[in-house]
């Protein structure tokens, strides 16, 4: 019996063939849907694609693409909007408003004190949403391990 006090796993529907496979995407709840953003396609191209998956109906729909290509990024739902941070070769952040179906840039992730490069990325970090604040913990800043804890509110 797979049902225990600790929960169990069950396979849901598969991503339809009309949606390219993804490596390193991000997913977050958004209302009753799940928003899937970015990732790499099988041809190694980073993507701006965004899709909504409705678990109740097992249906998929494409929504407005993000403003920047991302993989290895994090995303959260907060106050009815989706918030997306960083990623491979990316230090920007953006939010998605499901009412208007629009993305907008928000303040980018601050650079570490030791970083001076023009091209800057922030990836492979731990993340958490606590009391309405988004925490980015550790990770890699320009190919070096970081001990920083950055807070967005």
């Amino acid at each position: 019996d797979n049902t225990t006090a600790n929960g169990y796993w069950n396979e849901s529907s598969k991503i339809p063939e009309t949606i390219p496979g993804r490596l390193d995407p991000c997913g977050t709840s958004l209302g009753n849907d799940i928003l899937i953003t970015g990732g790499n396609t099988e041809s190694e191209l980073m993507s701006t694609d965004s899709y909504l998956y409705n678990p109740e109906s097992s249906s998929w729909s494409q929504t407005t693409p993000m403003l920047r290509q991302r993989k290895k990024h994090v995303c959260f739902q907060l106050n009815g909007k989706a918030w997306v941070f960083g990623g491979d070769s990316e230090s920007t952040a953006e939010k998605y408003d499901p009412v208007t179906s629009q993305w907008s840039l928000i303040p980018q992730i601050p650079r570490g004190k030791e970083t001076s490069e023009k091209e800057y990325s922030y990836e492979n970090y731990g993340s958490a949403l606590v009391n309405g604040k988004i925490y980015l913990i550790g990770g890699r800043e320009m190919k070096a391990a970081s001990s920083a804890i950055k807070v967005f509110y």
Side-chain angles (χ1 to χ4, degrees):
D1 185 342
N2 280 342
T3 58
T4 68
N6 295 324
Y8 65 97
W9 288 98
N10 187 21
E11 188 168 322
S12 187
S13 66
K14 296 193 182 305
I15 298 173
E17 289 182 21
T18 56
I19 299 174
R22 291 283 179 258
L23 303 169
D24 300 318
C26 190
T28 187
S29 61
L30 190 59
N32 294 323
D33 294 328
I34 300 170
L35 177 69
I36 307 296
T37 58
N40 260 11
T41 62
E42 289 183 8
S43 58
E44 297 290 319
L45 298 174
M46 275 195 294
S47 174
T48 59
D49 290 349
S50 297
Y51 295 92
L52 289 169
Y53 172 65
N54 183 299
E56 292 291 316
S57 64
S58 293
S59 62
W60 289 84
S61 60
Q62 189 165 15
T63 188
T64 308
M66 292 183 296
L67 301 174
R68 300 286 163 77
Q69 297 175 331
R70 296 179 191 278
K71 69 176 183 177
K72 299 181 183 176
H73 55 297
V74 297
C75 52
F76 294 93
Q77 182 279 135
L78 177 63
N79 299 326
K81 295 177 176 51
W83 303 78
V84 177
F85 296 88
D88 186 28
S89 303
E90 193 58 63
S91 64
T92 63
E94 50 191 295
K95 71 177 175 181
Y96 175 74
D97 184 337
V99 173
T100 63
S101 192
Q102 295 297 308
W103 288 93
S104 57
L105 290 175
I106 58 175
Q108 82 175 41
I109 302 166
R111 296 172 188 246
K113 291 183 174 85
E114 67 283 353
T115 307
S116 62
E117 288 94 353
K118 289 182 181 179
E119 292 294 319
Y120 177 72
S121 67
Y122 194 61
E123 63 189 49
N124 297 353
Y125 39 90
S127 58
L129 174 63
V130 179
N131 296 325
K133 297 176 184 173
I134 296 171
Y135 291 80
L136 304 179
I137 303 153
R140 181 169 48 188
E141 294 186 54
M142 292 309 301
K143 300 182 174 49
S146 171
S147 60
I149 298 176
K150 300 180 182 192
V151 185
F152 181 82
Y153 27 146

